[in-house]
Amino acid sequence: MIKDKIEKTAIIQKERNEMNLGNKPKRGMTIIAIVLLIVLSGCQKIDKQEDDIYIFFTSDVHCGVEDNLSLASLKALVDDTKAEHPYVSLVDLGDYLQGGTLGSLSKGKLIIELMNAMDYDVATFGNHEFDWGDDMFEKWEADGGFKFIACNLIDKRTGKMPSWCKEYELCYIGGHLVCIIGAATKDTVFTASKKRIENFDFLDPAKCIRKVLRKVEATYSPEAVVVLSHIGSHMNRLSGTPVSASN
């Protein structure tokens, strides 16, 4: 039943997107349900149907809490899934604190409070989170009750990761140990104000992810690993084939 609801939601979103073809793209959110995770070789496989893990993620919300399906509809869908299925998680891939009235008036605070009320488990950040300056991240962390994750962000002033950031998050989803690794896009150096990011280095995400993956596998042996990233890719809009990929 849950899979039917997810498929119906995807169809509704697809129809809305098709109706908007030729119009100026509207800022909104991407809502996708992942039924199967990337299972690591050598780890215990999640192979029973009743053990499927559902991960809902949002991306590029840009404070558009009522755009497209809306956060309220997403919350209802997640709650319905949890009522029938014990293995559910909600995460965000970045660019959620900038772009709309609620975010602008509160400097992201109201969006963080909404995400906290929706029980987001973890979030990475996009390039636009830096629009408010790096001094806001600690406040957002306190308001949201979760750390931002990105394994490739270094504070030049200390040579270490910022105090408000961590490489990964270990989550027990329905009793399954899942490691969620974050990665920031190096494109931030081109898409954010240089003054806002002058204190940070954005390292090669692929190298950093592999390094964290080896450490996590050796220490915790998670059943599955998921990477949260705001790293974009580019494709031919006519053919739908990738033409290049960021990093």
Side-chain angles (χ1 to χ4, degrees):
M1 181 178 295
I2 286 300
K3 289 184 179 180
D4 292 339
K5 291 181 180 179
I6 292 171
E7 289 173 0
K8 183 177 180 181
T9 300
I11 291 172
I12 293 173
Q13 184 61 58
K14 181 175 182 294
E15 291 175 346
R16 290 181 176 179
N17 290 341
E18 290 174 347
M19 291 174 63
N20 288 329
L21 285 177
N23 298 330
K24 183 179 179 181
K26 185 178 182 180
R27 282 177 174 171
M29 67 185 71
T30 301
I31 302 177
I32 298 179
I34 304 173
V35 178
L36 297 177
L37 296 178
I38 303 171
V39 181
L40 294 173
S41 59
C43 293
Q44 181 182 354
K45 187 176 180 181
I46 303 172
D47 55 5
K48 296 180 181 180
Q49 184 175 359
E50 61 268 24
D51 286 347
D52 285 347
I53 292 176
Y54 291 77
I55 295 185
F56 292 87
F57 75 80
T58 49
S59 181
D60 292 278
V61 175
H62 285 289
C63 306
V65 297
E66 295 182 347
D67 291 348
N68 296 322
L69 292 176
S70 79
L71 287 182
S73 296
L74 172 60
K75 172 65 172 172
L77 180 59
V78 172
D79 286 347
D80 286 347
T81 306
K82 287 181 177 180
E84 296 185 18
H85 195 91
Y87 311 131
V88 179
S89 182
L90 177 61
V91 300
D92 192 280
L93 277 63
D95 276 8
Y96 39 88
L97 297 176
Q98 174 271 353
T101 304
L102 285 179
S104 297
L105 292 178
S106 66
K107 291 188 176 181
K109 178 179 174 60
L110 291 178
I111 303 300
I112 288 291
E113 290 179 355
L114 280 173
M115 294 175 69
N116 195 29
M118 291 180 66
D119 295 324
Y120 274 83
D121 292 310
V122 66
T124 188
F125 46 83
N127 49 296
H128 283 294
E129 265 66 64
F130 289 92
D131 289 356
W132 300 112
D134 62 358
D135 60 329
M136 293 298 298
F137 282 94
E138 289 186 3
K139 298 177 182 177
W140 291 331
E141 178 196 348
D143 291 337
F146 55 78
K147 282 187 179 293
F148 299 91
I149 59 171
C151 64
N152 61 324
L153 183 70
I154 296 295
D155 190 324
K156 296 178 182 178
R157 295 164 293 189
T158 63
K160 301 177 181 179
M161 297 191 69
S163 60
W164 44 264
C165 185
K166 58 191 301 187
E167 296 176 321
Y168 60 89
E169 185 73 52
L170 292 172
C171 299
Y172 280 95
I173 306 176
H176 295 292
L177 181 59
V178 176
C179 177
I180 303 179
I181 302 174
T185 173
K186 291 180 68 175
D187 288 349
T188 304
V189 299
F190 306 112
T191 56
S193 167
K194 293 187 181 300
K195 184 177 180 181
R196 302 292 191 186
I197 59 170
E198 62 183 359
N199 294 321
F200 299 106
D201 275 330
F202 295 82
L203 307 182
D204 183 276
K207 291 181 180 178
C208 293
I209 290 170
R210 284 194 289 267
K211 181 179 179 181
V212 172
L213 190 55
R214 288 192 294 267
K215 177 171 62 177
V216 169
E217 280 192 281
T219 306
Y220 300 105
S221 299
E223 295 181 54
V225 169
V226 174
V227 174
L228 296 191
S229 171
H230 199 73
I231 299 173
S233 63
H234 306 277
M235 68 172 58
N236 186 313
R237 289 179 178 268
L238 297 177
S239 66
T241 57
V243 293
S244 65
S246 239
N247 307 313

